[in-house]
Amino acid sequence: MNEEYRNDGPRRVGQVKEITSLANPIIKDIKALSLKKTRDETKSFMAEGLKLVIDALDLGWTIRTLIYSKGAKGKPLVEKVAARTVAAGGLVLEVSEKVMASVTRRENPQMVAGVFEQRWKSLKVVRPSGSETWVALDRVRDPGNLGTIIRTADAAGASGVILVGDCTDPFSLETVRATMGSLFAVPLVKTTPADFLRWKKECGARLVATHLAGAVDYRTIDYRSKPVVLMMGNEQSGLPDDMAGAADALARIPQVGRADSLNLAVATGVMLFEVRRHLLTLDGPK
Ligand code: SAM
């Protein structure tokens, strides 16, 4: 058998490597993915759960490392995913429950996790057409909000999410968890406010921005005649003037009660299902 030796012992190339020590350098590297700096440098991230890992592979994402806990050993689906990982040139780790809990930072961890390559789409190649809807988020800060928005964008059939300015990282563990797998199905773009405004001028879509001072009831806007870019503001400060000024319509969701505004992810959900109302049926997209 082909064997490669490292300072942490023999490794069977293309086979499963067993790890029980938290001090193992491979485990330390995976744990370091909790830091944005490490995710940026390695252009990778971790996602948990067998179904999610299978979905990601089916959607063509590149897996670097598959990690499963001893209890999952021999399960046919896990074996299959391990074989796919090896075939893709990835590493397969069989780890103790303790190591799995530490890597995923959970007391009751999933049995399976994967380290994947990050994937970004360039704004230059985004050309909304037909009945497409894109969601643009201005400086979204909360990982849970971003994850919920990606999940909702997927459910509503949006074509992708554009992160404008200094946004929270979509590949953080918290955001990935909140997307419930939709991260792998929704293209992500990141850009600067200046590049976004330049792109807006030539992209051919209608920019509908939501604003608490918006004069138009969101239910009265024409979402059918052009592709739509739905723009949502920052959790604390809302949408800056230059973004609001570039919009073709400033939409407001009427509210009663004491709350000043809706939570960002809730407002995005309300808007997305209105923008795409004419396209959604219980039998699937039209
Ligand atoms: N203090 C902020 C402000 O003055 O805009 C509140 C921001 S709100 C929590 C976050 C974002 O959700 C807003 O920028 C807007 O995009 C959207 N939003 C929340 N409630 C809304 C409403 N009733 N109508 C339109 N957009 C709303």
Side-chain angles (χ1 to χ4, degrees), residues 247-270:
D248 301 299
L250 273 189
R252 182 151 54 100
I253 305 165
Q255 289 184 214
V256 293
R258 285 178 58 84
D260 291 338
S261 64
L262 296 169
N263 160 274
L264 169 62
V266 171
T268 309
V270 171

Side-chain angles (χ1 to χ4, degrees), residues 37 40 53 56 76 86 96 102 104 109 126 165 187 196 203 242 273-275 284:
K37 183 172 170 282
D40 287 348
V53 170
V86 171
S96 61
S102 164
T104 58
V126 175
F196 177 78
C203 75
D242 53 351
F273 279 89
E274 180 63 20
V275 172

